[in-house]
Amino acid sequence: MPFSKDFRVAIIGGGMCGLACAVALSRAGIQVDIYESASKFGEVGAGVGLGPNALRALDALGLMEAIMTKADQSTPTLRSFRFLSELPGHETIYDYPASERDVGLGIHRAAFLDALVGLIDPQTTHFNARCTAITPPSVSGSSRSVISFSDGTTAEADVIIGADGIRSVVRDAVIEGSGLKRLAFTNTVAYRALLPNESVKLSGVKTDLSERPACFVGVNKHIITFPIRNGQTINVVVFCTDRSLPVGSVEVPRDKWVVPATEQEILDVYNDSGPDVKTLLSLIQKPSKWSIHCVSPPLETYTKGNVVLVGDAAHGMCPHLGAGVGQGFEDVLVICQLLSHPDTNLTNIQSVLQAYDAVRRPRANMILERSTWAGELYESLQEGDSSSVIEQLRTELVDLWDPVWHHDIQADIGIAVQQLKEEGAFK
Ligand SMILES: Cc1cc2nc3c(=O)[nH]c(=O)nc-3n(C[C@H](O)[C@H](O)[C@H](O)COP(=O)(O)OP(=O)(O)OC[C@H]3O[C@@H](n4cnc5c(N)ncnc54)[C@H](O)[C@@H]3O)c2cc1C
């Protein structure tokens, strides 16, 4: 079948965003190759929470049906988060109201990838392909950009989409050689676990965690739980933060971002917590500890020449709004709709990527900063807490997700197309 466009796209990175992008572009008839550094598509054994905006983007990309077949849940459910104190008594601080439209999904990451892998032509997938550099046509002398890989091989493409995650190498081609330095350790570590709901219930945890997401708010620490696999499994992420140091002042060596931790380490951090938290945490076995990093300061552009960033490569953020991959899916939707627009061709690619940047960057960077702030909020209880602190916290939590969940991404696509028309790039 002939391709619909006169340009060829390379996607660097086959994570959740890279795969979604590959499926959508190839369905639009665009020639696309995906280069993944690992030997197969794979994800950490953890769940991911997808909010209403993430589901709308996936729906517009035509991917929801495939994802729901792997979701272990027949329909998306309400995202009404409960905020409780992690301190004894587990006082309910705020019950986040969710309207009918506020449905989301908790899904195992591997299941998500599974749903998409079946939609990709294996001939377009290149494993063990670790990108090390991108050379633009002006330097390479070729009419296309040249992608170099760690094994010495190269490939060429007209458009390069960097979906290579928070430690993006492609970012370096966009941010004048300093993209890799745009990362800061947030002084927060996270321990992640998947617990069978049956064990949680049998252990005596009284708070029901199988129906809705919950956030146990604390003093420089908090815990997020959400049900996956139809409530049979509880995804637990346990956070704690050292707030005595400025963000970015500690550098964590690359090979130490995820390290094994002991069960006792978690219990020690939460030794003053209430009974439900202590019991829940006592169920965690062989935890791993993640150093939470974010892109900092936010990028001043997501594109340069014919290279463009999506997902964590563009705006790796703290996980505190559960919004990271949702922002990535919004990127993917906008870039795919613009690249497949009837007026897009090899001659106006750079204008199209600039239009993508103009609508996506302000929004995604805002959510990046809001995610950092949300983490501070969840950890803002104080020792010997007073009701005024809780009251203040309650006020701040109202409408917390409004800007994340209720944005009109289709309107953004309309604005980008209008901009391209006004510039004369589109008819
Ligand atoms: C503890 C924690 C909890 C989270 N919870 C949520 C949540 O509930 N909801 C939510 O929306 N987000 C959450 N996030 C954020 C979410 O995980 C990310 O936003 C999402 O995984 C980003 O997807 P991505 O495809 O951009 O990058 P990644 O998932 O990182 O994928 C990048 C891919 O690129 C490959 N790659 C890397 N470098 C190269 C290279 N040089 N060459 C070729 N391939 C390369 C990698 O192998 C990988 O397959 C959480 C993050 C953390 C740390």
Side-chain angles (χ1 to χ4, degrees), residues 74-294:
S74 49
T75 48
T77 48
L78 288 182
R79 300 300 291 168
S80 50
F81 243 94
R82 269 170 312 159
F83 290 89
L84 310 140
S85 170
E86 53 91 13
L87 295 168
H90 300 307
E91 177 185 350
T92 295
I93 293 174
Y94 189 61
D95 208 333
Y96 198 87
S99 68
E100 291 288 297
R101 62 182 174 157
D102 294 335
V103 289
L105 190 66
I107 186 168
H108 196 283
R109 286 168 188 259
F112 182 96
L113 289 193
D114 242 21
L116 298 195
V117 167
L119 306 174
I120 287 182
D121 175 358
Q123 290 191 336
T124 63
T125 308
H126 312 272
F127 291 114
N128 300 306
R130 175 172 292 282
C131 168
T132 50
I134 311 282
T135 312
S138 56
V139 179
S140 70
S142 161
S143 59
R144 291 171 157 166
S145 283
V146 176
I147 310 156
S148 303
F149 298 100
S150 56
D151 62 0
T153 58
T154 57
E156 294 191 1
D158 301 300
V159 182
I160 295 175
I161 299 182
D164 51 341
I166 192 158
R167 294 195 278 194
S168 171
V169 168
V170 181
R171 193 189 297 134
D172 228 22
V174 170
I175 306 296
E176 301 290 338
S178 68
L180 283 168
K181 297 192 192 95
R182 288 298 190 86
L183 282 179
F185 173 48
T186 58
N187 298 334
T188 296
V189 294
Y191 304 87
R192 300 168 91 171
L194 293 175
L195 300 175
N197 184 44
E198 204 51 34
S199 322
V200 174
K201 280 207 295 214
L202 287 173
S203 68
V205 172
K206 294 200 173 51
T207 312
D208 180 9
L209 304 175
S210 65
E211 293 286 330
R212 299 161 54 190
C215 174
F216 289 92
V217 172
V219 184
N220 294 331
K221 56 188 184 244
H222 75 280
I223 299 169
I224 299 285
T225 68
F226 56 85
I228 60 171
R229 297 189 177 123
N230 232 353
Q232 291 169 46
T233 302
I234 310 299
N235 186 74
V236 184
V237 194
V238 182
F239 294 92
C240 65
T241 305
D242 179 352
R243 297 203 182 272
S244 66
L245 300 164
V247 168
S249 62
V250 176
E251 200 162 319
V252 182
R254 291 293 160 104
D255 58 344
K256 298 277 185 313
W257 278 32
V258 184
V259 291
T262 62
E263 289 82 8
Q264 194 56 44
E265 194 174 326
I266 304 180
L267 296 176
D268 287 348
V269 176
Y270 281 82
N271 63 358
D272 54 356
S273 299
D276 273 6
V277 164
K278 279 188 172 166
T279 309
L280 184 72
L281 299 185
S282 71
L283 299 173
I284 297 179
Q285 290 176 351
K286 297 197 179 137
S288 53
K289 181 162 77 172
W290 296 59
S291 297
I292 303 296
H293 286 71
C294 68

Side-chain angles (χ1 to χ4, degrees), residues 274-322:
D276 273 6
V277 164
K278 279 188 172 166
T279 309
L280 184 72
L281 299 185
S282 71
L283 299 173
I284 297 179
Q285 290 176 351
K286 297 197 179 137
S288 53
K289 181 162 77 172
W290 296 59
S291 297
I292 303 296
H293 286 71
C294 68
V295 170
S296 176
L299 302 188
E300 54 277 11
T301 180
Y302 289 177
T303 184
K304 186 175 175 201
N306 56 355
V307 182
V308 67
L309 303 174
V310 299
D312 277 14
H315 43 65
M317 60 185 74
C318 292
H320 306 312
L321 288 172

Side-chain angles (χ1 to χ4, degrees), residues 13 15-17 36-37 48-49 109 129 131 163-165 192 311-312 319 322 324-325:
M16 294 173 82
C17 295
E36 165 57 47
S37 57
V48 65
R109 286 168 188 259
C131 168
D164 51 341
R192 300 168 91 171
D312 277 14
V325 82

